[in-house]
């Protein structure tokens, strides 16, 4: 493989590589960040990487936007870029903002319920309330056992 | 060979990568949200460069406009600082690196960027490009594929947006949002009222923005545009009014009692068009049945109605989302 | 005629590009928020107007009259929005107590009451 063909390969695949990098950045934010809003932003990053990937694949060299032009106005055949990725991704963007709005609404409710949007604080609060409930349950169970024993002793 | 388009493409993709890395590293969420707006704008430029003008249009209005405002609304209700993590998550890094390497390996065999012989340009696409002009009478192939050939898809996606709006209303639309206006207005609103230049400028702009939304809606057959973009632009005009002038006044103009039923009406228009084609003796969403002698005219009518439904749903969903997020008082 | 239009159009585009570049450099080099906003408003007005003006001349040259009209409308809108946005930004900063770095503020005995961190660092380097 000569140098020029290697460079050609790199230029021809640069878009896809950047898309992979963007997607992995989004993925990393989603799993490594503890902040819920940052997680949603990471999810958006992931989504736009996919969109960018599709659109990159649809592009044809020397093509034009997929809007039919009057054949009398141009000389020679017209190359149109693939319209299908555009159609799929256009709706995906709008659906994406609607779903991320849903995620943000959940974040707002979590903030109202827990007073925090940091994952570890929420988990700690959950664990604390779980432990409290268990302690209460154990206490009430012990109380019930005691009264039962007392009743049996009475009988 | 490097063409001009490829060169621009390389530079813009590099910019995009840098923006994304900055978003990862910055802990101030306000700055991250602003960067995500910039990221969307750069993506929109890339989409234009890659000939996906309709997508660029949508990304610019949704990503840089509505999405940023919703994020800011959430930040106002929660907090703007991300806590510094106590430890580096090496496990996450490892997973990401392995997945990334696998994906990179997958791209090696892919056809080069811009290759006309790549498998994505299948006979289906060729048929869309060669036949859609005669079959539907709509020059914008994206619009005809979106609303006619793949009308089922788009109906499903409109329903997803509808469902998401319902879910947000269930989560946040409780009594705390819509009830009596807050008596002491927050300081920011009052300081905005003292800004003649901003208000005059906004007054000049809101009219053209709304007009442009209608242009995009009804010109979508011939140029880039359509119901999705038009809906978002219309909502952006209303949101600008609400931000600069007064939230309560904007909500009085676009009352929840009106906008919420309109969300459902848009989906109903879409599905109703499908039912109507059934009554005309065609398939569901087979618009040619509207005009058996001139199938293309039937298609044009069907596409018009469907895009109208999409526009109504999207604009009202975006307005509802905005009013729900930004109308909620901080707990 | 067409060569003249082409040359003129490229001259405008290059001028606009230069202003954009200058704005970017200014954004990085200027000491405080207000001067930086000032630098950032340069590409907003002159830069964009130069580039769009050049494109309009290209449109005139090629006879794309629809594009010419649309580009002119974009110029009008950018003329309104750019300066208004800059004005709103600086005014908000001022009303929230963000003090500009003035020459007398830089003197060591006259410390400003509120200073942003960037300006502070700059002053430290100057000394």
């Amino acid at each position: 493989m000569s140098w020029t063909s290697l460079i050609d390969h790199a230029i021809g695949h640069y878009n896809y590589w950047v898309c992979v990098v963007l997607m992995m950045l989004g993925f990393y934010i989603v799993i490594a960040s503890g902040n819920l809003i940052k997680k949603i932003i990471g999810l958006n990053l992931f989504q736009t990487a996919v969109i960018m990937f599709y659109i990159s694949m649809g592009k044809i060299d020397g093509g034009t936007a997929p809007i039919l032009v009057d054949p009398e106005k141009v000389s020679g055949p017209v190359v149109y870029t693939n319209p299908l990725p555009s159609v799929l991704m256009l709706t995906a963007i709008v659906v994406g903002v609607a779903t991320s709005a849903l995620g943000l609404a959940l974040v707002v409710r979590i903030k109202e319920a827990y007073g925090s949007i940091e994952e570890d604080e929420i988990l700690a609060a959950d664990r604390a309330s779980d432990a409290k409930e268990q302690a209460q349950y154990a206490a009430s169970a012990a109380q019930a056992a005691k009264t039962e024993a007392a009743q049996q002793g009475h009988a | 060979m490097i063409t001009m388009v490829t060169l621009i493409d390389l530079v813009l993709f590099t910019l995009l990568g840098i923006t994304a890395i900055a978003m990862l590293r910055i802990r101030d969420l306000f700055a991250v949200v602003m960067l995500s707006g910039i990221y969307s704008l750069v993506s929109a430029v890339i989409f234009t460069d890659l000939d996906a003008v309709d997508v660029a249009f949508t990304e610019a209005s949704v990503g840089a406009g509505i999405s940023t405002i919703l994020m800011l609304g959430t930040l106002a209700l929660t907090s703007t600082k991300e806590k510094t993590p106590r430890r580096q998550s090496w496990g996450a890094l490892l997973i990401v690196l392995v997945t990334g390497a696998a994906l990179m390996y997958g791209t090696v065999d892919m056809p080069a960027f811009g290759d006309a012989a790549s498998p994505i340009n299948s006979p289906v696409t060729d048929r869309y490009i060669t036949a859609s002009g005669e079959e539907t009478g709509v020059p914008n192939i994206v619009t005809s594929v979106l609303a006619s050939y793949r009308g089922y898809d788009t109906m499903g996606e409109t329903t997803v947006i509808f469902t998401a709006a319902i879910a947000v209303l269930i989560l946040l639309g409780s009594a705390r949002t819509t009830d009596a206006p807050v008596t002491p207005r927050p300081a920011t609103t009052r300081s905005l009222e003292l800004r003649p230049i901003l208000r005059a400028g906004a007054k000049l702009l809101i009219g053209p923005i709304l007009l442009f939304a209608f242009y995009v809606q009804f010109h979508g057959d011939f140029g880039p545009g359509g119901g999705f973009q038009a809906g978002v632009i219309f909502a952006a005009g209303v949101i600008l009014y609400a931000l600069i002038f007064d939230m309560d006044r904007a909500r009085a103009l676009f009352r929840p009692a009106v906008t919420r039923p309109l969300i459902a009406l848009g989906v109903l228009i879409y599905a109703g068009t499908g039912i109507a084609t059934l009554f005309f003796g065609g398939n569901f969403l087979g618009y040619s049945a509207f005009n058996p002698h001139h199938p293309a005219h039937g298609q044009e009518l069907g596409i018009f109605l469907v895009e109208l439904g999409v526009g109504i749903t999207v604009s009202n969903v975006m307005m509802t989302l905005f009013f729900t997020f930004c109308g909620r008082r901080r707990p | 005629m067409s060569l003249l239009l082409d040359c003129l159009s490229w001259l405008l585009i290059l001028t606009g590009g230069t202003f954009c570049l200058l704005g970017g450099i200014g954004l990085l080099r200027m000491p405080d928020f207000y001067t930086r906003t000032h630098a950032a408003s340069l590409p907003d007005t002159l830069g964009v107007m130069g580039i769009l003006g050049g494109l309009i001349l290209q449109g005139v040259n090629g006879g794309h009259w629809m594009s010419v009209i649309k580009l002119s409308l974009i110029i009008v809108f950018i003329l309104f929005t750019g300066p208004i946005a800059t004005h709103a930004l600086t005014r908000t900063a001022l009303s929230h107590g963000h003090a500009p770095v003035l020459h007398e503020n830089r003197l060591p005995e006259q410390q400003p009451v509120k200073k942003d961190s960037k300006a502070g660092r700059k002053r430290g380097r100057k000394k």
Side-chain angles (χ1 to χ4, degrees):
Chain A
M1 214 178 199
S2 68
W3 274 111
T4 46
S5 73
L6 209 63
I7 290 174
D8 269 354
H9 184 86
I11 289 174
H13 291 74
Y14 186 73
N15 284 11
Y16 306 138
W17 295 344
V18 174
C19 287
V20 170
V21 169
L22 290 179
M23 191 188 235
M24 287 307 113
L25 279 173
F27 190 31
Y28 182 77
I29 294 178
V30 169
I31 52 180
S33 169
N35 187 293
L36 295 179
I37 292 180
K38 195 88 178 262
K39 266 184 202 289
I40 289 178
I41 291 175
L43 214 56
N44 283 343
L45 210 59
F46 196 103
Q47 189 203 8
T48 42
V50 174
I51 292 171
M52 205 72 74
F53 187 69
Y54 266 71
I55 301 288
S56 290
M57 287 199 294
K59 166 79 181 167
I60 295 175
D61 268 340
T64 180
I67 297 171
L68 296 172
V69 288
D70 200 346
E72 288 164 12
K73 279 188 186 167
V74 287
S75 54
V78 186
V79 181
Y80 295 108
T81 290
N82 199 332
L84 202 51
S86 298
V87 173
L88 301 177
M89 293 306 111
L90 195 162
T91 46
I93 291 174
V94 183
V95 169
V97 72
T99 45
S100 68
L102 180 58
L104 291 173
L106 282 170
V107 171
V108 170
R109 289 307 296 259
I110 287 173
K111 167 80 179 176
E112 285 172 5
Y114 287 89
S116 165
I117 53 167
E118 297 288 339
E119 201 176 31
D120 45 356
E121 284 173 13
I122 294 166
L123 285 177
D126 253 357
R127 259 185 235 115
S129 78
D130 271 1
K132 205 168 157 192
E133 251 172 44
Q134 251 164 15
Q136 271 175 358
Y137 179 74
S140 64
Q143 185 71 36
K146 207 185 275 175
T147 44
E148 203 172 312
Q151 272 171 357
Q152 269 176 1
H154 213 71
Chain B
M1 196 193 70
I2 300 183
T3 58
M4 196 67 193
V5 171
T6 323
L7 195 67
I8 296 174
D9 182 74
L10 292 182
V11 172
L12 286 176
F13 264 95
T14 312
L15 273 181
L16 204 64
I18 294 170
T19 317
I21 291 171
M23 278 161 76
L24 171 70
R25 296 188 57 88
I26 292 178
R27 302 233 157 262
D28 184 356
L29 289 175
F30 186 76
V32 173
V33 169
M34 284 300 144
L35 276 175
S36 78
I38 293 174
Y39 180 90
S40 289
L41 217 54
V42 176
S43 331
V45 179
I46 291 179
F47 291 144
T48 319
D49 186 42
L50 299 182
D51 292 341
V53 276
D54 286 272
V55 186
F57 213 155
T58 318
E59 179 70 40
S61 48
V62 169
I66 305 278
S67 185
T68 311
I69 289 174
L70 288 182
M71 291 268 182
L72 288 180
T74 314
L75 288 189
L77 290 171
T78 54
S79 64
T80 58
K81 277 270 182 280
E82 186 190 4
K83 225 180 54 180
T84 342
R86 274 164 305 183
R87 60 194 160 72
Q88 191 76 27
S89 38
W90 293 109
L93 195 65
L94 186 74
I95 293 173
V96 165
L97 284 180
V98 169
T99 321
L103 289 176
M104 284 284 190
Y105 179 67
T107 62
V108 171
D109 283 342
M110 281 184 68
F113 168 69
D115 189 357
S118 98
I120 192 173
N121 303 314
S122 63
V124 182
T125 325
D126 283 342
R127 187 168 179 290
Y128 287 150
I129 290 174
T130 50
S132 75
E134 274 180 31
E135 281 179 352
T136 62
V138 169
N140 188 352
I141 305 174
V142 174
T143 303
S144 61
V145 175
L146 181 94
S148 179
Y149 293 103
R150 302 186 74 94
Y152 275 52
D153 266 24
T154 312
M155 191 174 109
E157 261 134 12
T158 318
T159 318
V160 170
I161 298 166
F162 169 77
T163 317
I166 301 283
V168 170
L169 281 177
I170 291 171
L171 283 168
L172 296 182
S174 56
R176 246 209 271 186
T177 327
T178 42
D179 270 10
V182 199
T183 25
R185 281 225 231 95
T188 47
T189 329
R190 265 183 280 122
S191 73
L192 273 175
E193 265 178 21
L194 300 173
R195 299 189 161 182
I197 294 177
L198 197 60
R199 287 160 67 88
K203 248 181 208 166
L204 278 174
L205 283 175
I206 286 169
I209 290 176
L210 298 185
L211 190 66
F212 183 60
F214 283 107
Y215 169 78
V216 171
Q217 170 82 48
F218 298 117
H219 193 259
D221 296 358
F222 308 100
F228 284 101
Q229 295 93 328
V232 175
I233 293 170
F234 189 86
V238 176
I239 289 172
L240 179 67
Y241 179 78
L243 287 178
I244 304 251
F245 293 94
D246 196 31
M247 196 73 139
D248 296 327
R249 239 190 285 171
R251 202 186 276 119
L253 271 175
F254 296 90
R255 279 195 303 273
V258 178
T259 53
R260 291 182 189 180
L262 279 178
I263 297 177
L265 181 74
V267 183
L268 269 180
I269 290 178
Y270 203 129
T273 312
I275 301 286
T277 55
L278 285 182
F279 279 114
F280 275 93
N283 291 328
F284 187 70
L285 294 174
Y287 315 127
S288 301
F290 281 134
N291 196 341
H293 306 294
H294 264 292
H297 288 189
Q299 289 282 347
E300 273 177 47
L301 178 65
I303 290 175
F304 174 81
L305 286 173
V306 160
E307 290 274 6
L308 190 68
V310 171
I312 292 174
T313 296
V314 170
S315 63
N316 287 294
V317 164
M318 294 300 156
M319 280 190 263
T320 308
L321 288 180
F322 170 74
F323 284 133
T324 327
F325 269 94
C326 299
R328 200 174 175 83
R329 259 171 282 160
R330 207 190 158 99
Chain C
M1 189 61 195
S2 93
L3 184 70
L4 183 72
L5 274 179
D6 211 32
C7 289
L8 218 65
S9 125
W10 276 105
L11 194 72
L12 272 177
I13 290 178
L14 285 177
T15 320
T18 317
F19 275 118
C20 285
L21 193 69
L22 285 177
I25 294 172
L27 199 62
L28 286 173
R29 300 281 305 163
M30 288 293 186
D32 78 332
F33 174 78
Y34 296 96
T35 43
R36 259 182 256 152
T37 325
H38 176 91
S41 67
L42 196 65
D44 251 9
T45 46
L46 272 174
V48 170
M49 272 165 67
I51 292 175
L52 288 180
L55 291 179
I56 286 177
L57 288 186
Q58 288 283 338
V60 171
N61 203 0
H64 305 291
W65 293 107
M66 204 60 206
S67 310
V68 171
I69 296 170
K70 283 178 185 169
L71 285 170
S72 320
L73 277 176
I74 294 177
I75 288 196
V76 172
F77 280 116
I78 284 189
L79 261 184
F80 275 116
T81 49
I84 290 174
T86 312
H87 163 83
L89 216 74
T90 42
R91 190 161 166 167
T92 312
L94 196 66
S95 68
H96 281 67
H98 193 101
V101 177
L102 300 174
H103 180 65
E104 52 264 34
N105 287 356
R106 295 227 181 120
L107 296 174
E109 65 270 12
Q110 271 186 317
Q111 291 290 335
V113 189
K114 277 179 185 167
K115 55 179 194 263
D116 65 351
S117 55
K118 265 270 167 46
R121 246 188 294 150
K122 193 94 183 173
R123 189 161 40 248
R125 224 185 296 151
K126 275 261 161 74
K127 260 191 273 182

